[in-house]
Amino acid sequence: MENKPKITIVKIGGNIIDNEQLLSDFLNDFSELKEAKILIHGGGKTATEIAEKLNLKPLFSNGRRITDKAMLDVTVMTYSGLLNKQIVAQLQALKTNAIGFSGADGNVILSEKRKNSEVDFGFVGDVISVNKELISMLLLQNITPVFSAITHDGNGQLLNTNADTIASEIAISLSNAFDVNLIYCFEKKGVLSNSEDEASVIEEINFEKYSILKEQKIIHSGMLPKLENCFKSLSNGVQNILIGNQNVLKNSTIHTKIKL
Amino acid sequence: MENKPKITIVKIGGNIIDNEQLLSDFLNDFSELKEAKILIHGGGKTATEIAEKLNLKPLFSNGRRITDKAMLDVTVMTYSGLLNKQIVAQLQALKTNAIGFSGADGNVILSEKRKNSEVDFGFVGDVISVNKELISMLLLQNITPVFSAITHDGNGQLLNTNADTIASEIAISLSNAFDVNLIYCFEKKGVLSNSEDEASVIEEINFEKYSILKEQKIIHSGMLPKLENCFKSLSNGVQNILIGNQNVLKNSTIHTKIKL
């Protein structure tokens, strides 16, 4: 299996989405990748801003955010509409033949509404399956799929889904056929040993080190599910995972490499 | 050229989009078509309602509506986001493997910003070309493309484009390879000889009859560009064109047939 084709799968977060210049620079780097590639994007502040303008009040239950019908609509409009199409149009201008996808398009990501006895999270979906045949077919045609963090339940219901998880599930689904390079871009240069110090990037984290860093509470809150996604991906065939900022596609950049 | 495969291309307007039950019934009929099929949808009232909630004032110049940046964003969110993804999710539930497209996705509809010496219409695009190779490839894979009325200029700019024209241009582009059946669904049962009387559907209109009806002002305003799109399509290889309401896919329904 040494001659599997390479693919780079990049997830970008709000800090890039929200900044026109960062997004433009990032898309430029992304479009220059020669191998097959996939982009997954979150939503950034736009959805929150539009929800505020529409006078929607964020709902919480037991301190957890709830996606009600009105908020789901705003999320679908913003993620799968405005942001996804702006990214696709910019990639087309860079001669990368992108097609934007929600999970409903081509039944590409099927999910189920999150069940939880204590909290009803509303229209939030957990991934059940990825249509890797369709994605592979598109990649063979030199098409670059661009995913927003919206999925569907197969019964006509759209669902809001974590973009990190979508990236991880897509990476896993393609790891049989491709040598997968999975990259998470966020606001820091990598996983930091001191959250106040951008110079404290940890170069490499394996599962043992992760357990220690977690125990010591050096890694906490949002970084925990992100790293657990990474280990799940590595355990399921993904070859290579990096966490870094918008410059992570530039070879010389500081970043954190995740290993088993 | 007698054994070209059949394709049905349907454009649905605001009256169907705005009514949940009509849309659901229509998508049911559409999903039962056995041949290759494409759906093009307009926007209905949703974009206007959202623009109002966001306190955007419609802009006019010399009596013509102008699409400024803020209104374009609302249009992209609504057409390519909310409506397109809701339609795609519903078609998936009906086992029709739909993929939603703006013109930017797969560079499928390239347009140019409308130039007019008297009025600047803003971010409105006129179709330059259709990527028929991509559409044909998807149709061969049994995929049903669903187009919103948003295109791009190839330089990163999204543009608002007339949905009737998109339907017509797609139909023309596929007419070499397919026996094309183009259907325009709107709020009436067909072209009426008396706009007050739903029973006055004109069964068939050819170019000669059109010229007379236009002269007599029986056909006027919005129906003129719609019919001109039809004649352009027929002159460029489209086989069959019908205008009717949401029941037009049911064989027995009253409608208007357009001929050269």
Side-chain angles (χ1 to χ4, degrees):
Chain A
M1 301 295 274
E2 305 221 343
N3 45 9
K4 285 196 271 190
K6 266 182 73 175
I7 185 167
T8 295
I9 300 176
V10 188
K11 185 257 168 172
I12 53 172
N15 68 309
I16 298 180
I17 300 276
D18 290 331
N19 183 317
E20 212 171 299
Q21 189 60 49
L22 284 190
L23 180 60
S24 166
D25 290 349
F26 167 81
L27 292 176
N28 214 48
D29 294 338
F30 179 76
S31 72
E32 285 179 2
L33 294 173
K34 296 281 173 266
E35 66 272 22
K37 50 191 180 284
I38 291 176
L39 184 61
I40 296 102
H41 63 88
K45 292 184 197 136
T46 318
T48 313
E49 283 170 8
I50 290 170
E52 278 170 10
K53 283 188 192 162
L54 294 172
N55 284 319
L56 302 180
K57 304 266 174 292
L59 292 175
F60 291 89
S61 168
N62 294 351
R64 297 294 297 261
R65 182 147 186 170
I66 294 170
T67 303
D68 64 345
K69 171 71 171 68
M71 194 59 210
L72 176 72
D73 284 357
V74 170
T75 312
V76 172
M77 284 196 293
T78 313
Y79 294 10
S80 300
L82 193 60
L83 298 173
N84 190 266
K85 297 317 162 200
Q86 284 177 342
I87 289 171
V88 167
Q90 286 187 52
L91 285 172
Q92 289 290 346
L94 293 161
K95 304 299 170 209
T96 288
N97 194 12
I99 296 184
F101 281 86
S102 75
D105 299 290
N107 189 27
V108 80
I109 305 172
L110 191 67
S111 66
E112 61 181 345
K113 199 163 175 290
R114 186 171 296 170
K115 291 181 199 81
N116 184 305
S117 51
E118 289 165 37
V119 186
D120 180 357
F121 293 100
F123 295 102
V124 171
D126 293 314
V127 177
I128 296 176
S129 63
V130 174
N131 185 346
K132 64 181 175 187
E133 292 78 14
L134 178 66
I135 298 175
S136 302
M137 185 272 282
L138 296 168
L139 293 168
L140 273 174
Q141 305 282 336
N142 211 16
I143 288 166
T144 297
V146 177
F147 290 89
S148 60
I150 300 293
T151 58
H152 79 136
D153 72 353
N155 297 310
Q157 182 62 57
L158 296 165
L159 294 166
N160 196 356
T161 297
N162 183 279
D164 282 358
T165 310
I166 290 178
S168 164
E169 295 287 346
I170 291 173
I172 291 170
S173 78
L174 295 176
S175 63
N176 258 329
F178 290 86
D179 185 340
V180 181
N181 192 22
L182 174 59
I183 301 179
Y184 290 100
C185 282
F186 75 143
E187 65 277 14
K188 305 284 169 74
K189 285 183 178 168
V191 184
L192 304 180
S193 60
N194 173 359
S195 62
E196 309 289 297
D197 181 8
E198 271 280 337
S200 70
V201 173
I202 305 169
E203 275 186 41
E204 205 172 283
I205 299 180
N206 61 15
F207 192 73
E208 195 187 340
K209 189 161 182 180
Y210 166 69
S211 308
I212 298 167
L213 291 166
K214 185 179 163 186
E215 180 80 17
Q216 295 173 331
K217 300 208 166 26
I218 289 170
I219 295 177
H220 54 87
S221 51
M223 190 49 74
L224 297 176
K226 197 182 274 287
L227 283 170
E228 275 155 24
N229 267 330
C230 292
F231 292 117
K232 183 182 173 191
S233 304
L234 289 169
S235 306
N236 285 279
V238 173
Q239 288 283 320
N240 195 28
I241 304 187
L242 302 183
I243 298 180
N245 70 7
Q246 68 280 356
N247 294 316
V248 73
L249 296 180
K250 303 188 205 301
N251 282 326
S252 58
T253 315
I254 294 162
H255 56 251
T256 301
K257 185 173 171 66
I258 314 297
K259 300 185 97 173
L260 273 184
Chain B
M1 300 293 275
E2 304 220 343
N3 45 9
K4 286 196 270 190
K6 265 182 73 175
I7 186 167
T8 294
I9 300 175
V10 188
K11 184 259 169 171
I12 53 172
N15 68 309
I16 300 181
I17 300 275
D18 291 331
N19 182 317
E20 213 171 298
Q21 189 60 51
L22 284 190
L23 180 60
S24 165
D25 290 349
F26 167 82
L27 292 176
N28 215 47
D29 294 338
F30 180 76
S31 71
E32 285 180 4
L33 294 172
K34 296 282 172 266
E35 66 272 23
K37 50 191 180 282
I38 291 175
L39 184 62
I40 295 103
H41 63 87
K45 292 182 197 138
T46 318
T48 313
E49 282 169 9
I50 291 170
E52 279 170 10
K53 284 187 193 164
L54 293 172
N55 284 320
L56 303 181
K57 304 268 174 291
L59 292 176
F60 292 88
S61 169
N62 292 351
R64 296 294 297 261
R65 182 147 186 167
I66 293 170
T67 303
D68 63 346
K69 173 71 172 66
M71 193 61 211
L72 175 72
D73 284 356
V74 170
T75 311
V76 172
M77 284 197 291
T78 314
Y79 294 11
S80 300
L82 194 60
L83 299 172
N84 190 266
K85 298 317 162 199
Q86 285 177 342
I87 290 170
V88 166
Q90 286 189 52
L91 286 172
Q92 289 290 346
L94 294 162
K95 303 301 170 208
T96 288
N97 193 13
I99 295 184
F101 281 85
S102 75
D105 298 291
N107 190 26
V108 79
I109 305 171
L110 190 67
S111 66
E112 63 181 344
K113 197 161 176 289
R114 185 171 297 169
K115 291 182 197 80
N116 185 305
S117 51
E118 289 165 37
V119 186
D120 179 358
F121 293 101
F123 295 102
V124 170
D126 294 314
V127 177
I128 296 177
S129 64
V130 174
N131 185 346
K132 65 181 176 185
E133 292 78 14
L134 178 65
I135 299 176
S136 302
M137 185 273 281
L138 295 169
L139 293 168
L140 272 174
Q141 305 281 338
N142 211 17
I143 288 166
T144 297
V146 177
F147 290 88
S148 61
I150 300 293
T151 58
H152 80 136
D153 72 353
N155 297 311
Q157 182 62 56
L158 297 164
L159 294 166
N160 195 357
T161 296
N162 182 280
D164 282 357
T165 309
I166 290 178
S168 165
E169 294 288 345
I170 292 173
I172 291 169
S173 79
L174 295 175
S175 63
N176 258 329
F178 290 86
D179 185 338
V180 182
N181 192 22
L182 174 59
I183 301 179
Y184 289 100
C185 282
F186 75 142
E187 65 278 14
K188 305 284 169 76
K189 285 183 177 168
V191 183
L192 304 181
S193 60
N194 172 0
S195 62
E196 309 287 298
D197 181 8
E198 271 281 336
S200 70
V201 173
I202 306 169
E203 275 185 43
E204 206 172 284
I205 299 179
N206 60 17
F207 192 74
E208 194 187 341
K209 191 161 180 178
Y210 165 70
S211 306
I212 297 167
L213 291 165
K214 184 179 165 186
E215 179 82 18
Q216 295 172 332
K217 302 209 162 33
I218 288 170
I219 295 176
H220 53 88
S221 53
M223 189 50 73
L224 297 177
K226 197 182 275 287
L227 284 170
E228 274 155 25
N229 267 329
C230 292
F231 292 118
K232 184 182 173 191
S233 304
L234 290 169
S235 306
N236 286 280
V238 174
Q239 287 284 320
N240 196 27
I241 304 187
L242 302 182
I243 298 180
N245 70 8
Q246 69 279 356
N247 294 316
V248 74
L249 295 180
K250 303 187 205 302
N251 282 326
S252 59
T253 314
I254 294 163
H255 56 251
T256 301
K257 186 173 172 63
I258 314 296
K259 300 185 98 173
L260 274 183

